[in-house]
Amino acid sequence: MVNKPLTKNIDMSRPPLDMAAYEKNDGYQSLKTISGGLSPADVLQIVKDSGLKGRGGAGFPTGLKWSFVPKSNGSPGQRYFVVNADEMEPGTFKDRLLMEGDPHLLLEGIIIGAYTIEASVAYIFLRGEYKVSEERLKKAISEAYEKGYLGKDIQGTGFDLDIIVHTSAGRYICGEETALLNALEGKRANPRAKPPFPQVSGLWGKPTIVNNVETLCNLPGIIAYGVDWYQGLSLGKDHGTKLFGISGKIKKPGCWELPLGTSIRELLEEYGGGMQEGLELRAFLPGGGSTDFMLPEHLDVKLDYDEIAKVGSRLATGTMILLDNKTCPVGMIGNLMKFFAHESCGFCTPCRDGLPWVDEIFNEFESGRGTEKDLKILHEHVDYLGPGKTFCALAPGATAPLGSGLKYFAEDFERHIKEKRCPYD
Amino acid sequence: MNNNIIATTSARARILTDEEIAEIDHEIDLYPDKQAVGLEALKIVQKHQGWVSDESMLAISKYLGIPISDLEGVATFFNLVYRQPVGRNVILFCNSVSCWIMGCKSMRAHINDKLGVDFGETTDDKEFTFLPVPCLGDCDKAPVMMVGDDLHRNLSKESINKIISEYKTRS
Amino acid sequence: MAKIIVDGIEYEVNPENNLLQESLSLGLDLPYFCWHPCMGSVGACRQCAVKQYRDADDKDGTLVMACMTSASDGAIISIEDEEARGMREKVIESLMISHPHDCPVCEEGGECHLQDMTLMSGHNYRRYDKKKVTHRNQYLGPFINHEMNRCITCYRCVRFYDYAGGKDLAAQASHHHTYFGRHQDGVLESEFSGNLVEVCPTGVFTDKAFSAQYARKWDLQTAPSVCVGCSVGCNITPGERYGTLRRIVNRYNSEINGYFICDRGRFGFDYVNGEDRVEAPSIKKGLQVEVLSGQDLESAIKGYAGQEVIGIGSPRATNEANYALCSFVGKENFYSGMADNESEASRLILELSRDKAFHSPSIKEIERADAVIVLGEDLTNTAARIALALRQSVRNKAKELAESINIPVWQDAAVKELAQHERSPLILLSNYATRLDDVASDSIIDSSEVLSQIGYAIAGEISGSRVSCALMKNPYR
Ligand SMILES: Cc1cc2nc3c(=O)[nH]c(=O)nc-3n(C[C@H](O)[C@H](O)[C@H](O)COP(=O)(O)O)c2cc1C
Ligand code: SF4
Ligand code: SF4
Ligand code: FES
Ligand code: FES
């Protein structure tokens, strides 16, 4: 049985599988299952039962999200399905792998999702810099049209679907799903207030679902092989497999598909090959730049949404960034803060005006001019930029490494002040 | 409905090329609303002209019926729309966290030395524009940068030297 | 009506509104920037933070933005809560980090919402000691001055501009470089641009003409007045100093102008200060003009007794002045200053407006109309404030759609997003293209003859008695 449903076709040393090869490998099997008599409601139930959680960061149950789309009662009107392929979270490199490595898998997932919510148009909101993904997705899409998996009356189901690739022009905030919708509409990518949620009033005011690339790549397997198979893949409470990546000073940085519930130690040691010679692991961000630091003492924690939450962080994108003992934690956090300050959309006050202050303070620390007063202001901003205070989750994301970093690396901040320089330089 | 914009002068709008128009028209077909094509049109024009001049802005505004100040609001929001001339090759240099840990700072300094330009600047020979970019999603191969449409991974001073001379001979 | 509890005290509120609006109506002090009573909420500034509690047992509560939360029955909130206060103080502090603190030379001084809110929020010491962001200003025409460094990025200006149908002002750039201006220097095109002066909570947009001869608000003599720019009668407050009229600002009247007036009303008063203005009864002797005192006037009048004298009045003069002139020369010798047909039309209008069966809607009512037909009038040029009202009436469709899926109508961005281009009917019948065409469901451009025939046909439809056009008396013939 398949045990790596996301990456089974991926071999980055060659071009991705074309339609024929993909189909040979069970590709588009799920469409046959659907045209064999699964209604949208049936698919929704299967996805709910599978326990699939969104892989875009928040880990929200996918089936539940879809169920908020109003019941169509036979006349759905215009609805949209949107793929979040804006991958810009620092340290995150998993969606690129999926899109470059196996574009048909994503298309198959989109078709399943759009069928379920009865959307006749799907947009892939793709990061502009992902030129190779763009080219490969477009090629796969044209193959899918040729084959009749896209277009009118797909596989005799009476279901129509067009998939359109939209390339963005570089703003992290476009990954936030409501800002993404504004960007798709050709507006400035400020987020929207929720409620109303996109499921009710989304793209051009129509019911819309936004899902992450990796989330959707889980769907073909779930439909083709069933819920039991899917749930059997993982080692812990959360179901299925997930892409886990490691960057930083490790021997073999990379990205692997592993069962949810694998231990962090196993990922780092077995797959990453351990830290580079002469370096020790100091801390790590478990799921991209907007997660809280974890420490070596957490290495036996399982890569599972709840388990990581228990130690005060988030699994989020599952791509880890490692901090070693010779790299300055203050500098690392400062780098992240500069990113968040620059990528703030400028809509709400705490984020727009708070993050630049934080950034300026890190500049001072790096050049040895940080003061106790600055440190106090940093602490205040952790709270001030937190959840509920800002308009969207960008700034709260920034407080994750900031808050945990201030806690775990207090001594390093103090040394910068006392020694009036970066002790790692 | 009459959607006339009683707006600013379009006296200085340049004339869009047939190619640009064909590509913009193709995009118009993909969206239910012309406003959605604004950013696409900016990117199309940039692809052909290298950057988006005021004259191009006016031309797009006129062609799509998007008020010029709204279009400017979009153009200036996105990192990758260039409202100033850029060099023949744009270097998008990742300065996000993984690349930072892997030493992108010294790579930046190296490019700086080699080309005599820092972030936001263009070489005198108009060959290169050097820009920072957030995480390019290739963090396991850090440090990383793009030149034009091509990605260059695991940068070192040597590989940077090679890349730069390749692009120089190419043009 | 709904009951809510604010800091332990129960109040009756309207559940269709948000908590900010209701708190302010109750006279409670809660600072805000981005919310505006006419434009609703967007939740951008985060200044109106309050604590909300699930129920009486909830001791922790959660911070919410009052403007983004319904004043629903049973809501329990605290404005005084320490965390909420702390949040509001921090918001002001961050809004002020790049503010130039140039209040002594700022035209907004003394009537600045930002000053008031800063004080109310208790931010009184600047801790920020890093680099400030600075901006370039734009030339926006003879009326409005632009001083971007004072901006607190509340997005009100661009939201107002959109409210008024203007297309040449928008937010530019992003993060803490967000900029509010035109795409380049140039005269603001909206005929309501002057309202930016009042909508902006700080001194970014100020009244340029007023600044040229500036006086602080408290040095102006003001009195409630009514605009003479057109027949709408917007309520205004003119401000005088040293015998000259210095500026005009909006005076709130819920049935008429509300919060906004047009630029003609605001800026078109300079003739009042004109040197050759006739300020007293005068007599022209040869090339000399002599001012007459009360006594002289009477004797001068007597001097004309028995002679043929005509009096030319003016629709721009006051009723009192016209009446005085009329009684002096006698009705037969008085000319109102209006052509006969205009005069006849005015008479007809007056007659109709006295007729109880004929309802003349207030601006507030126009804003609430389901559908509007404008017959032969270019409202932007003749009664601009009504044109602004029509831009709101077309949004009723959007509000209806929003209500149908439980989006509160004050959720401004959400309502617009849902409705897209759906608008309530606005049918314009005019001789030429007008500034309202962009929001009209139909604009019919034709000759006056054809338009009046359409008018009669509509009247016939409404009254049920198809009156032949030819039988109607047309004052324009
Ligand atoms: C600032 C910000 C950036 C985000 N960037 C991304 C992104 O690049 N890709 C993504 O899939 N989700 C991103 N998200 C999460 C999305 O808002 C959304 O939750 C996700 O796309 C939902 O998909 P899922 O349910 O399949 O996980 C981001 C969220 C925030 C607040
Ligand atoms: S937190 Fe506020 S300013 Fe920051 S990105 Fe979200 S909406 Fe924009
Ligand atoms: S210019 Fe004034 S109204 Fe506009 S965003 Fe700035 S402070 Fe607000
Ligand atoms: S941090 Fe440079 S590619 Fe991700
Ligand atoms: S007034 Fe409530 S967020 Fe601005």
Side-chain angles (χ1 to χ4, degrees), chain A residues 54-56 65 84 86-87 172 175-177 210-212 215 393:
Chain A
R55 308 295 197 229
K65 184 188 233 179
N84 192 339
D86 194 48
E87 191 162 72
Y172 171 58
E176 198 284 336
E177 59 181 6
V210 182
N211 272 131
N212 169 255
T215 311

Side-chain angles (χ1 to χ4, degrees), chain A residues 331-344:
Chain A
M332 175 179 174
I333 302 168
N335 177 280
L336 286 164
M337 295 305 116
K338 198 175 283 313
F339 163 82
F340 286 113
H342 187 269
E343 293 304 312
S344 163

Side-chain angles (χ1 to χ4, degrees), chain A residues 171 185 188 346 373 380 384, chain C residues 45 94 127 155 173-174 417:
Chain A
R171 274 321 281 269
E185 290 181 16
R188 292 164 61 80
K373 174 188 150 192
E380 282 177 22
Y384 173 52
Chain C
C45 73
S94 8
R127 295 186 299 168
Y155 288 83
S174 70
E417 190 49 51

Side-chain angles (χ1 to χ4, degrees), chain C residues 190-356:
Chain C
S190 169
E191 49 280 354
F192 301 100
S193 65
N195 293 293
L196 292 173
V197 172
E198 293 184 57
V199 163
C200 176
T202 167
V204 178
F205 298 103
T206 51
D207 183 331
K208 206 181 233 177
F210 177 47
S211 304
Q213 251 199 315
Y214 182 72
R216 283 287 188 223
K217 184 191 182 182
W218 51 82
D219 289 329
L220 290 173
Q221 297 252 26
T222 60
S225 185
V226 174
C227 178
V228 295
C230 77
S231 56
V232 171
C234 289
N235 287 196
I236 53 166
T237 303
E240 173 271 357
R241 192 169 198 216
Y242 299 139
T244 54
L245 182 54
R246 296 293 178 83
R247 71 162 181 190
I248 285 174
V249 294
N250 184 77
R251 181 166 58 92
Y252 179 77
N253 181 314
S254 67
E255 298 303 309
I256 310 175
N257 44 305
Y259 292 89
F260 310 121
I261 56 174
C262 77
D263 285 0
R264 187 197 297 183
R266 184 183 304 269
F267 299 119
F269 63 79
D270 218 28
Y271 62 89
V272 172
N273 300 330
E275 273 178 28
D276 43 8
R277 180 178 162 201
V278 181
E279 289 180 329
S282 311
I283 190 161
K284 204 169 176 189
K285 290 186 175 158
L287 289 176
Q288 293 292 313
V289 177
E290 262 176 40
V291 174
L292 301 173
S293 70
Q295 292 235 307
D296 292 345
L297 178 63
E298 251 172 63
S299 56
I301 289 171
K302 281 196 189 115
Y304 289 107
Q307 293 186 39
E308 271 300 315
V309 182
I310 58 159
I312 303 174
S314 162
R316 297 212 160 262
T318 59
N319 283 338
E320 290 82 348
N322 278 313
Y323 181 77
L325 183 61
C326 179
S327 37
F328 166 50
V329 296
K331 227 174 175 176
E332 341 57 73
N333 294 328
F334 178 71
Y335 175 55
S336 68
M338 278 196 278
D340 281 352
N341 56 356
E342 287 244 359
S343 178
E344 170 65 13
S346 302
R347 197 196 48 75
L348 193 63
I349 290 168
L350 274 176
E351 204 173 285
L352 285 171
S353 60
R354 277 192 226 106
D355 183 344
K356 290 246 159 48

Side-chain angles (χ1 to χ4, degrees), chain A residues 126-163:
Chain A
L126 180 66
R127 182 166 185 192
E129 293 93 329
Y130 281 11
K131 302 287 180 193
V132 177
S133 302
E134 177 185 355
E135 186 192 304
R136 294 183 176 179
L137 282 167
K138 283 184 170 163
K139 177 162 176 281
I141 289 172
S142 72
E143 285 179 335
Y145 272 107
E146 266 170 41
K147 192 80 197 184
Y149 293 154
L150 289 176
K152 298 266 176 250
D153 189 19
I154 297 168
Q155 299 289 295
T157 50
F159 167 64
D160 308 334
L161 178 66
D162 288 313
I163 298 183

